[in-house]
């Protein structure tokens, strides 16, 4: 936390600009979930189709501007997001959308979120201060998950947050991406559930009474991580030769530094 505050003001300002450039529009778009919320659909007009179209257009626009690697990862994220959403929502009953379906804007949203965070985490200045940024994000994650636990009895979210830290314990290169994902997912989930676009049961999976849950639970990004890991795995499988070449280059670099 304090190391983050020691970043030179000029660089800190630039990092914040990069963050809001990549994530600011996404955070603002969370308020679009009001269109798929209970109040809007009961008092104005039924609008899920409109939101599906808006998110689809946003996805296509970002896909057009993305480099080939990000473009491919976005497409993979949408496909896996579509499959994962049906599995977690319809099969496991982890959460329920307002119309008890899986809106098309959701998997498209996965692709947009993935690309935004990927571009933020790969910015040169962000990578330069990645340890300072990670320490700041860890403090936010601990505050959010502990607050949810103590005041909202969110045992389910707290347990998932612990798993997030355990998964990333020996994966330092992935922490910036996934810690950033955690914070944005918390914002997304608070907006979606507040507007009534979807809801979570009062216990984990609606089954485990020893896992009381808030609506939403704090650590839901754990399942976004599984999606993101799936994207990387699929990408590596599709590009095995390039991946092997990259690993060989890294080994050579390690040998040369010894």
């Amino acid at each position: 936390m304090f190391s983050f505050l020691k970043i030179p003001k000029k660089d800190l300002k630039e990092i914040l600009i990069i963050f809001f450039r990549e994530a600011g529009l996404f955070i603002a778009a969370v308020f679009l979930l009001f269109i798929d919320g209970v109040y809007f659909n009961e008092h104005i007009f039924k609008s899920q189709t409109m939101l599906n179209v808006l998110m689809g257009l946003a996805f296509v626009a970002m896909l057009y501007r993305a480099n080939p690697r990000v473009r491919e990862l976005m497409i993979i994220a949408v496909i896996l997001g579509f499959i994962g959403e049906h599995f977690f929502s319809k099969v496991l009953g982890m959460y329920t959308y307002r119309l008890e379906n899986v809106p098309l804007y959701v998997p498209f949203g996965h692709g947009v979120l993935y690309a935004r965070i990927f571009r933020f985490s790969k910015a040169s200045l962000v990578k330069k201060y990645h340890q300072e940024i990670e320490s700041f994000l860890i403090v936010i994650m601990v505050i959010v998950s502990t607050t949810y636990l103590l005041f909202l009895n969110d045992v389910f979210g707290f347990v998932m947050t612990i798993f997030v830290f355990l998964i990333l314990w020996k994966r330092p290169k992935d922490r910036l991406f996934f810690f950033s994902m955690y914070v944005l997912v918390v914002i997304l989930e608070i907006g979606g559930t507040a507007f009534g676009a979807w809801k979570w049961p009062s216990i984990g999976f609606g089954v485990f009474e020893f896992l009381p849950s808030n609506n939403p639970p704090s650590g839901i990004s754990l399942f976004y991580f599984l999606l993101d890991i799936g994207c990387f795995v699929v990408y590596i499988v599709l590009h095995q030769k390039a991946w092997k070449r990259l690993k060989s280059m890294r080994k050579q670099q390690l040998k040369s530094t010894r």
Side-chain angles (χ1 to χ4, degrees):
M1 177 68 170
F2 295 108
S3 60
F4 179 77
L5 299 177
K6 292 179 181 179
I7 297 175
K9 288 185 179 180
K10 181 181 177 181
D11 289 345
L12 180 59
K13 181 180 179 181
E14 185 61 29
I15 289 170
L16 291 175
I17 290 173
I18 295 170
F19 175 79
F20 284 108
R21 184 177 67 222
E22 297 299 343
L25 287 176
F26 183 85
I27 294 172
V30 170
F31 292 96
L32 287 176
L33 291 172
F34 175 68
I35 297 174
D36 192 34
V38 174
Y39 181 88
F40 193 97
N41 283 267
E42 288 184 353
H43 295 86
I44 303 177
F45 63 87
K46 300 185 185 304
S47 56
Q48 192 174 95
T49 299
M50 182 176 70
L51 191 56
N52 288 338
V53 172
L54 287 173
M55 185 58 75
L57 291 174
F59 176 82
V60 171
M62 194 163 183
L63 196 69
Y64 176 78
R65 291 181 295 164
N67 63 51
R69 182 186 180 191
V70 174
R71 188 179 298 129
E72 189 169 354
L73 286 169
M74 286 178 68
I75 294 172
I76 295 171
V78 170
I79 295 172
L80 293 184
F82 183 83
I83 297 171
E85 285 288 339
H86 278 81
F87 179 70
F88 289 127
S89 179
K90 306 295 288 184
V91 178
L92 296 183
M94 282 187 65
Y95 46 85
T96 305
Y97 288 100
R98 181 178 56 83
L99 297 180
E100 298 186 0
N101 63 345
V102 176
L104 287 176
Y105 69 78
V106 174
F108 282 128
H110 281 302
V112 173
L113 176 63
Y114 187 98
R116 290 286 181 182
I117 297 176
F118 185 85
R119 294 202 313 197
F120 168 73
S121 64
K122 295 301 180 182
S124 58
L125 190 62
V126 173
K127 289 196 291 186
K128 177 181 178 181
Y129 294 105
H130 72 94
Q131 291 182 329
E132 290 83 355
I133 298 172
E134 289 163 16
S135 66
F136 177 71
L137 294 174
I138 287 173
V139 171
I140 293 178
M141 293 167 65
V142 170
I143 290 174
V144 169
S145 60
T146 304
T147 300
Y148 270 50
L149 175 66
L150 296 178
F151 296 99
L152 300 172
N153 195 30
D154 183 26
V155 178
F156 187 41
F158 191 78
V159 170
M160 286 193 288
T161 301
I162 291 174
F163 273 106
V164 169
F165 285 121
L166 290 176
I167 289 173
L168 297 174
W169 185 264
K170 293 186 177 181
R171 300 184 66 88
K173 292 183 179 179
D174 297 328
R175 289 173 190 164
L176 179 59
F177 179 89
F178 288 121
F179 288 167
S180 301
M181 174 74 74
Y182 185 102
V183 174
L184 285 183
V185 167
V186 166
I187 296 171
L188 172 68
E189 287 288 336
I190 290 174
T193 53
F195 297 137
W198 61 81
K199 63 181 179 180
W200 292 77
S202 59
I203 57 176
F205 297 95
V207 175
F208 302 109
E209 294 185 2
F210 62 90
L211 288 176
S213 176
N214 182 53
N215 179 35
S218 62
I220 179 52
S221 60
L222 173 66
F223 292 93
Y224 282 74
F225 295 172
L226 298 179
L227 166 67
D228 299 329
I229 291 170
C231 289
F232 280 119
V233 170
V234 172
Y235 185 85
I236 290 170
V237 170
L238 294 175
H239 300 273
Q240 287 188 11
K241 290 183 178 179
W243 183 251
K244 289 178 180 178
R245 187 164 58 249
L246 178 61
K247 287 178 69 176
S248 178
M249 289 171 59
R250 286 177 177 173
K251 287 181 180 179
Q252 292 297 327
Q253 289 175 352
L254 287 173
K255 288 181 180 178
S256 62
T257 56
R258 290 176 180 175

